[in-house]
Amino acid sequence: MTAAAVSRPAGRQGIAVALLTAYLTVLARQPLVTKACTTATLNFLQEEIAQRSSGMRAAEQAQEKQAALQGTPVRKSIIERVVNKRVLQFSLYGLLVSGPLNHFMYEILNKVFSNRPKTKTNTVLALLAQNIVISPILNSVFLAANAVIAGERSVEKIVAVVRARLLGMMKVSWVVFPCVQLFAARALPPLVWVPFFNAVAFVFGTYFNTQGKKRALQAKRAEEQEDKRE
């Protein structure tokens, strides 16, 4: 094995460590801005992946082609020709709503437990507060924002979407995230908790976003088939 082959993984690892160090430095200096920008970036990727993997992007493109053939092309702004509208909206939601909300809620939680002794009881109480108070709020806002970005404007229907999907989302959160949090507390230094939790939330958020889009697409196709029968 040559020296170049050996140094290649080491070089990549060095770049990864340098990027992580730079991110953590910025996070320590500007936590709110960094978290908001991180959430915006991850939401951008999450929505892009969900649209493509659910088949929604392909369905929209097929509708646009059909409309163009019928002489009624879909009008798009310059921005929409570069970036999908809902991808941009979901990214802005992360920048302006989700990122700041997540930051402030955990800041409140940290202030509540910062002056308490670090006992097992307080650790359990903190985990309960995260999973019974903070997580349902963040997930409800996520589901409501998803419905609005998908085009829903009726408050009753948005609430119905949240009620229909929140419990299933919370069941997964209650099973997975306590294990993730305990793993982080035991195996990872506190400095890397934020990027670690972001990575886990990104994976599960992408999954739920994709499943929601698949259900919406199936419901739309079912309605179209019923209309054709009538």
Side-chain angles (χ1 to χ4, degrees), residues 200-212:
V200 175
F202 172 75
V203 172
F204 281 93
T206 303
Y207 170 77
F208 282 111
N209 197 353
T210 302
Q211 294 303 311

Side-chain angles (χ1 to χ4, degrees), residues 11-24:
R12 291 174 182 173
Q13 186 177 3
I15 293 172
V17 171
L19 290 173
L20 179 60
T21 302
Y23 176 81
L24 294 175

Side-chain angles (χ1 to χ4, degrees), residues 19 22 26 51 65 81 135 138 162 164 183 198 201 205 209:
L19 290 173
V26 176
Q51 284 191 22
K65 288 180 180 179
R81 291 177 183 177
S135 185
L138 295 177
V162 175
F183 171 80
N198 281 339
N209 197 353

Side-chain angles (χ1 to χ4, degrees), residues 16-90:
V17 171
L19 290 173
L20 179 60
T21 302
Y23 176 81
L24 294 175
T25 301
V26 176
L27 180 63
R29 291 176 180 173
Q30 298 288 340
L32 175 58
V33 174
T34 306
K35 290 176 184 178
C37 292
T38 301
T39 306
T41 303
L42 293 177
N43 279 9
F44 183 96
L45 295 173
Q46 181 187 127
E47 181 67 13
E48 185 72 24
I49 293 170
Q51 284 191 22
R52 292 182 181 276
S53 58
S54 66
M56 184 167 283
R57 179 70 60 82
E60 288 179 350
Q61 290 174 346
Q63 287 180 346
E64 290 174 3
K65 288 180 180 179
Q66 186 68 24
L69 291 173
Q70 293 174 352
T72 56
V74 178
R75 294 181 179 180
K76 290 185 176 182
S77 65
I78 296 175
I79 296 176
E80 287 179 296
R81 291 177 183 177
V82 178
V83 182
N84 181 273
K85 182 179 179 180
R86 284 199 294 275
V87 171
L88 182 59
Q89 289 174 333
F90 203 53

Side-chain angles (χ1 to χ4, degrees), residues 103-120:
H103 170 75
F104 286 121
M105 293 201 72
Y106 278 99
E107 280 291 302
I108 293 170
L109 182 70
N110 290 335
K111 287 180 180 179
V112 170
F113 286 94
S114 61
N115 295 325
R116 296 189 179 188
K118 294 183 179 180
T119 61
K120 289 183 179 181

Side-chain angles (χ1 to χ4, degrees), residues 106 109 113 120-136 173-174 177-183 185 197:
Y106 278 99
L109 182 70
F113 286 94
K120 289 183 179 181
T121 301
N122 286 330
T123 301
V124 171
L125 288 174
L127 287 173
L128 288 174
Q130 290 178 37
N131 289 283
I132 296 177
V133 179
I134 294 178
S135 185
S173 295
W174 287 330
F177 280 94
C179 299
V180 171
Q181 290 161 345
L182 288 173
F183 171 80
F197 291 144

